[in-house]
Amino acid sequence: MHGLSRWRVASSDKDDDARAGQESLTAGSWRPTISEVHGLALHGQAVRSIFVFRCSKEAMRVLFVGDIVGSPGRQIVRDRLADIVAQRQVDLVIANGENSASGFGITPRLAEELLKMGIDVLTGGNHSWDRKEILEFLPHEPRLLRPANFPEGNAGAGLFVGAARNGVKYAVLNLQGRVFMTPIDDPFRKADSELAKIPADVAFVFVDMHAETTSEKIAMGWYLDGRVTAVVGTHTHVATADERVLPQGTAYITDVGMTGPHGGVIGMDRNGIIGKFLNGLPARFEVASGDVQMNCVLIETDDEGPRNVAGSLRARSIERLRFCID
């Protein structure tokens, strides 16, 4: 059963704004499309508000799905993503997939499955390399990213440029922090060089900053404010409550949280984790079960305002979303 009545949606109570777009009727004529219902109701319940219109050609509504952990994380994406995209009128879906294979890494088969579920771009992190078979796959699937600031010569890339469902061109950049993590290349200077590669007609620029410390992620948000549309943090698997739009129009959150079982410790079985803290001995960690959640953020652009200094769309809002099994 895939009805929304099975699911609890935990998010803000504010009404969603209408989707943008133009629909051609005949040559030289157009009308705005009815694109979204304010305050979407659960399946089987009455809709509580009205249709509204927006007429911007470059409206962007982008969903980012926090770190997908193991089979429970993949399952909730499989079951719910299509409904969320339809109800929220999402133009682009990005997700971090580096923990999708039993909590550690990603395989070619799982990458293909997640992309077929409706995810447009998969980002990675320090676990991108855990499954050795991914090394040969990365050069053949540009939509599967790994952090751009790994040293030159490694397989794959950290930047992808494409076109969203509404035709707007976008870029996704994946970076990794260095504090309490592998001391790879400087993510700040790498951001500069990668952003310089993005074509001038790209309207939406998104950055996944995969890092351990809040300070490094916040610093990256400020460093890129006004140069990209959004900077979101991943890696800790614990959602933060600091989502905001920075002064120059960049949407920011320190960590989106994870998509998977919250009945354990950051996605892993709690007994094994507690045991390791108690005895300090090596342990084999298994993916947890129970309290499966899908933590996301929804970013909407300010389509009527001026572009930022880099020529990208400014963010108008960033909203935390959490979908849970009843």
Side-chain angles (χ1 to χ4, degrees):
M1 176 180 179
H2 297 294
L4 283 173
S5 58
R6 291 182 59 223
W7 297 80
R8 179 172 72 258
V9 179
S11 66
S12 64
D13 291 330
K14 65 183 179 182
D15 287 343
D16 295 319
D17 290 332
R19 252 332 263 124
Q22 294 179 349
E23 181 180 15
S24 177
L25 297 177
T26 59
S29 67
W30 64 272
R31 62 179 172 84
T33 58
I34 294 177
S35 55
E36 186 171 10
V37 181
H38 275 300
L40 287 165
L42 296 180
H43 180 69
Q45 298 180 8
V47 173
R48 54 185 169 83
S49 56
I50 60 172
F51 291 100
V52 295
F53 297 97
R54 246 178 46 204
C55 305
S56 169
K57 289 183 178 180
E58 292 189 320
M60 282 291 284
R61 188 169 280 195
V62 178
L63 183 75
F64 180 81
V65 181
D67 305 44
I68 299 169
V69 179
S71 58
R74 302 195 309 270
Q75 187 63 50
I76 193 172
V77 172
R78 180 180 296 109
D79 289 349
R80 297 309 308 133
L81 182 60
D83 287 344
I84 297 165
V85 168
Q87 289 202 12
R88 298 278 177 166
Q89 292 292 287
V90 172
D91 301 301
L92 174 66
V93 180
I94 308 163
N96 186 288
E98 63 143 14
N99 299 121
S100 56
S102 300
F104 300 95
I106 187 168
T107 66
R109 178 180 64 83
L110 294 182
E112 290 176 344
E113 284 184 7
L114 290 168
L115 291 168
K116 288 178 181 177
M117 290 176 196
I119 296 171
D120 297 293
V121 182
L122 285 164
T123 57
N126 56 303
H127 289 295
S128 290
W129 318 100
D130 286 3
R131 306 291 172 140
K132 299 307 180 185
E133 59 267 38
I134 207 65
L135 294 174
E136 293 184 1
F137 181 76
L138 276 167
H140 303 289
E141 181 46 85
R143 295 173 296 170
L144 175 62
L145 300 179
R146 47 77 169 175
N149 56 314
F150 270 91
E152 293 295 331
N154 283 306
L159 177 68
F160 178 76
V161 177
R165 293 169 177 81
N166 60 352
V168 173
K169 290 187 178 179
Y170 68 87
V172 179
L173 174 61
N174 192 184
L175 299 168
Q176 182 172 309
R178 298 188 294 180
V179 181
F180 303 136
M181 299 184 77
T182 303
I184 55 178
D185 296 342
D186 180 0
F188 293 85
R189 290 182 174 84
K190 191 64 176 180
D192 292 338
S193 62
E194 293 295 297
L195 292 178
K197 300 176 183 177
I198 297 174
D201 60 347
V202 169
F204 185 95
V205 182
F206 180 96
V207 178
D208 175 355
M209 177 60 173
H210 195 80
E212 185 75 37
T213 64
T214 56
S215 58
E216 193 172 17
K217 288 188 271 193
I218 293 170
M220 183 62 77
W222 285 113
Y223 187 67
L224 296 180
D225 183 27
R227 301 167 61 192
V228 302
T229 312
V231 176
V232 306
T234 58
H235 178 65
T236 71
H237 294 195
V238 179
T240 57
D242 62 338
E243 72 277 9
R244 53 184 163 156
V245 177
L246 298 175
Q248 301 304 314
T250 295
Y252 175 81
I253 186 170
T254 297
D255 206 288
V256 178
M258 77 172 194
T259 296
H262 286 66
V265 178
I266 60 172
M268 296 293 107
D269 178 73
R270 59 180 179 267
N271 293 319
I273 300 290
I274 293 170
K276 183 171 178 60
F277 278 119
L278 289 172
N279 58 38
L281 298 177
R284 178 181 175 84
F285 298 143
E286 303 288 344
V287 175
S289 60
D291 190 17
V292 180
Q293 300 178 20
M294 184 174 175
N295 283 276
C296 319
V297 289
L298 183 67
I299 297 158
E300 190 169 1
T301 58
D302 182 6
D303 312 299
E304 296 178 358
R307 298 290 186 97
N308 63 25
V309 295
S312 301
L313 292 167
R314 291 172 176 256
R316 185 170 68 85
S317 64
I318 176 170
E319 179 185 7
R320 277 184 295 131
L321 301 174
R322 179 167 56 93
F323 301 88
C324 308
I325 300 176
D326 284 331

